[in-house]
Amino acid sequence: MLLFLLAAALVCDSLPAGFVASSASLEYNVKAAFLLNFTRFVDWPPATFTGSDSPLTICILGDDPFGRAIDQIAEGESTNRHKITVERIRADQPKSCQVLYIPSGKPLPAAFIATPSAVLTVGEGEDFLRQGGIIAFALDNGHVRFDVNLKAASNAGLKLSSKLLSVARSIER
Amino acid sequence: MNDKISYHPPAPWVRPLRDMPIRQKLMLIAMGTTALALLLAGIGIVSADLVLFRSNLQNELSALARITADDTTAALAFDDPAAAAETLGALRARSHLVIACEFNGEKQFARYARNGATMSCPLPEAREASRFDRHYLTVWEPILLQGRRLGTLVLVYDLGAVYERVKLYGILVVGVFLLSTLIAFLLSARLRSLVTTPVTELARVSAVVSKTRDYGVRAQKISGDELGLLVDAFNEMLSVIQLRDSELRLALLAREVALEDAQRARNSLEGTLARVAGLNDELQATNKSLARSNEDLERFAFIASHDLQEPLRMITVYSQLLVKRFSNAANAQVSDYIEIIESGTKRMRDLLADLLAYAEIGAKVDEPAQDIDLAVIVRNACEQMAMAISESGAVITVAQLPVIRGFGNHFTSLFQNLIGNAVKYRGDRPVEIDIVATRADNQIRICVSDNGIGIAPEYHTKIFAAFKRLHGKSIPGTGIGLAICQRVVERYGGRIWVESESGHGSNFIFTLPDSLLAPGSFRAGN
C-alpha cells in the first residue's frame, strides 16, 4: 500500500508540497492523475475546440469522488495549449465536455453514446465498457489499471494513442 | 637567375640508394610511394572511421534513447513498470547494449540487462546527456510528456563494437596494403622496363664507344620522352665527335704526309747541297788549276815573246847586214829572199809585241791605279798612229770623255786597236771616226764608230778571239788586237761588242762600271 502511495505521489510530482493525501482518497488521487494523463494520449477532432487555446474541460458527473485533489492536479496544467479545466455537472444539464467521468454505479447518459460525441467517457468497472464507455478504471493487485473499448472510442470520433493502448490492461475492439 | 648549379650533398641515408641500379630505384620508388600512400590512406580511413563511428554511435544511441523514452512515456504516465520493462526488453536486439534503465526521479522504475550483465545503472545526471569512458558509452535521455519531465532513460553501450570495427578495418587495410603492394610490385616490374630499357641501351652504346673508339655506332631511340631526347642528343654528339675525329685523322694524315715530304725535300736538299759543295770544290780545284795553267801560260807567253825577240832581232840585224853587203853583188834572187826573210821577221816582231801586250794586260801591276783622262789617252793613241791616220786622211771626232781610275797603257792599247782597225778596214769613202761616251744604268758606255767596210753578223763574236782574222793577208794584222781590247775591258769589269753590217761601217761599243769614274769627272747629261 505504501508503494502505491509513493507511486501516486511520483506520478503527480507537480503536486504542491502542501498537499497531503488522506488514505481514503489515495486511489482517487491516482485516478485523477490518470484522468489528466488520458488527455495527453487522445486526439480530439479539430472541430471540438472553438479556438486553439480554448480550454479542455474534464467533467465529473454527479457525486464527486475526487474532492479537491483533481482541482489541485489540474491546476495550471494544459494539453496541447488547451488549458485544463474541471467541471462538476449533473446529468440533466449536459455541458460542453471533452472528458466525462462517470462515478461507479451511475449509468452512462445516452447523449454520450450518440456518435460522434467527441467526448472521452471514463468510468468504473467492466460494465461501463459494455454500456459503450471508452475507458474503465480497474484495480489490479492494488494498482490502478484501465481497460479500453476501442470501438466506442472510434464511434465517438476519438483516436487513442498506441502508447495508451500499450499500457491498457485489456482492449475491446 | 643563378646559372650556377648548386650541389647539395645528399643526406646520409640517401647515399646507399644512389649507387643502386635504376631498375631497383624505380622499383623502390613505385613500391615506396604506393606503400606510403596506402599506409597514410589506411591510417586516415581508420582514424576517420573511429572518430566518425564514435560520433555516429553517439547520435544513434541518442536517437535510440529518444525513441525508447518516447515509447515508455505512457508506461511512466500510467505507472506501468511491466510495460516499461517490456519496451526496454525490445533493446535486446542491440547486442552491445549492456543495460537500460528508467528512473522515476531517482527511483529505478524499470530495467533491462543483457544476459550475464551485473552492473547497476548509473544514476541520471542533469549535467550531461552522454559520456564516453574506457569501455562504455552512457546516454541519459529525459522522458517527457507535454514538456513535463516524467523520468529519465539510461542506456549503457559496450564499446567493444567500436574496437571490433577498428580491428576489422585494420585487418582490411593491412590486406589491401599487402595486395596493392603486390600489384604495384608486379606492375612496376613490367613498367620499369619502359625507363630502364632506353637507359640501358644508352649505357651500352656509351660503353661500346668508350671501349672501341668507334664513333659510328648509334643508340637506338626507343621512347619519345626525355630519354628519347637524350638518345637524340647523344647520337648527335656522336656525329659531331665522329666528324671531328675524321677531320682530326685527315689533318694528322696530311701533317704526316707533309712531314714526310719535308723530310724527303730536306734529304734531297742535303744531297743537292752536298753535290753542290762537291761541285764547288771541284770548281774551285778546276779554277785553281785553270788559274795556275793560265798563269803558267801567260808567264810562258811573256817569257816566250820577250825572249824570242832577241834571236829575232839577230835575224833581222843580220839579214839587213846581208842586204847591205851583197845588194850589188848578189843577184836579184838573193835580194828577194832576204826581203821575204825581213818581212817574216817583221811580222814575227809585230806578233811578239802584240803577244807581249796581251800577256801584260793580264799581269799584275805593282803601282797603284791612277786617274787617267781618256781624252788624253785617245790623243796619245792618235799621235802614235799619226802616220797611218794622215795617210788615210781619216777625220776623228772625239766627244767629251771621262776621267777614270786605271792604268794608262791598258786604255792606250784599247783605243790604238779600235782606231787602228777603223783606219785599216776602211771603205772607199774618206774615213770618219766618232768617239762618244754616255752614262746610263751605273755604266759608262763608249762607242767608237766608223764608216768602214763593216762586219757580217755571223762574225760579231768570232772577231774577239785571239788570232782570228777575217781578211787573210790582204790586210796586215796579227789577229790579236780585238783580243787585247776584250781583255782590257773585261779586266775592268766591262763588256765589249760590235754592232755592224757588212758594208755599213761598224760601232765598237764597250762599257765600264761607273765606280771607276774619278769623282766629279763625268756627270750624266754631259
Side-chain angles (χ1 to χ4, degrees), chain A residues 7 10-11 13-14 34 36-38 40-41 77-80 143-146 163-164 166-167, chain B residues 70-81 83-84 86 104-105 107 145-146 148-150:
Chain A
L10 283 169
V11 165
D13 62 353
S14 65
F34 274 31
L36 177 64
N37 282 343
F38 284 148
R40 276 133 195 195
F41 294 96
E77 289 287 335
S78 60
T79 294
N80 294 330
H143 280 85
V144 179
R145 312 282 341 140
F146 60 89
K163 291 175 191 168
L164 183 68
S166 73
V167 292
Chain B
D70 199 41
D71 278 350
T72 55
T73 45
L76 209 58
F78 298 106
D79 189 30
D80 192 348
E86 198 183 328
N104 192 343
K107 178 181 161 288
L145 183 62
Q146 292 291 317
R148 267 188 40 212
R149 183 172 186 149
L150 297 185

Side-chain angles (χ1 to χ4, degrees), chain B residues 212-454:
Chain B
T212 62
R213 307 265 172 228
D214 176 8
Y215 302 109
V217 295
R218 292 288 179 271
Q220 189 194 345
K221 186 176 176 181
I222 293 168
S223 55
D225 55 2
E226 290 90 332
L227 285 171
L229 291 179
L230 190 64
V231 168
D232 281 345
F234 181 74
N235 283 342
E236 205 178 311
M237 199 171 73
L238 277 182
S239 305
V240 172
I241 292 176
Q242 190 180 16
L243 197 68
R244 294 270 166 85
D245 189 52
S246 63
E247 279 173 1
L248 204 67
R249 274 168 204 271
L250 273 176
L252 221 64
L253 207 66
R255 216 180 120 183
E256 269 173 21
V257 167
L259 212 67
E260 237 165 64
D261 282 355
Q263 188 66 41
R264 203 173 305 124
R266 200 176 139 187
N267 287 346
S268 88
L269 195 65
E270 273 173 6
T272 309
L273 277 178
R275 229 167 16 251
V276 167
L279 285 174
N280 243 2
D281 287 348
E282 277 175 39
L283 205 61
Q284 268 182 352
T286 311
N287 250 0
K288 214 174 271 176
S289 82
L290 261 179
R292 200 178 306 120
S293 60
N294 219 18
E295 233 168 72
D296 289 349
L297 195 65
E298 278 175 11
R299 197 176 301 121
F300 168 76
F302 185 79
I303 290 168
S305 50
H306 189 267
D307 291 359
L308 283 175
Q309 280 185 339
E310 180 56 29
L312 195 58
R313 207 171 294 122
M314 283 178 67
I315 293 169
T316 310
V317 169
Y318 283 97
S319 57
Q320 282 171 350
L321 278 177
L322 272 178
V323 171
K324 254 179 202 169
R325 185 81 56 89
F326 301 106
S327 57
N328 336 354
N331 56 25
Q333 192 89 40
V334 173
S335 177
D336 285 348
Y337 290 163
I338 286 172
E339 263 176 43
I340 289 171
I341 290 169
E342 207 174 349
S343 119
T345 52
K346 185 183 180 297
R347 271 199 59 214
M348 191 157 177
R349 199 166 53 238
D350 290 347
L351 254 175
L352 281 177
D354 280 352
L355 211 56
L356 195 61
Y358 182 84
E360 270 176 352
I361 293 163
K364 282 178 189 160
V365 181
D366 294 335
E367 314 155 33
Q370 290 174 336
D371 286 349
I372 48 171
D373 189 345
L374 290 183
V376 176
I377 295 292
V378 169
R379 203 178 309 137
N380 289 346
C382 290
E383 278 169 13
Q384 283 181 27
M385 292 184 294
M387 218 168 76
I389 290 168
S390 60
E391 188 182 321
S392 65
V395 179
I396 299 174
T397 316
V398 181
Q400 192 189 4
L401 293 180
V403 179
I404 62 166
R405 185 160 285 272
F407 299 101
N409 51 348
H410 290 159
F411 287 93
T412 308
S413 312
L414 174 61
F415 281 108
Q416 270 181 350
N417 276 303
L418 290 178
I419 294 168
N421 278 349
V423 171
K424 208 188 292 179
Y425 300 106
R426 61 171 177 270
D428 302 329
R429 290 168 293 177
V431 177
E432 290 173 9
I433 298 170
D434 285 326
I435 301 175
V436 178
T438 55
R439 184 179 174 184
D441 298 338
N442 300 334
Q443 283 182 331
I444 307 159
R445 179 185 159 115
I446 296 170
C447 181
V448 179
S449 50
D450 61 51
N451 56 351
I453 56 174

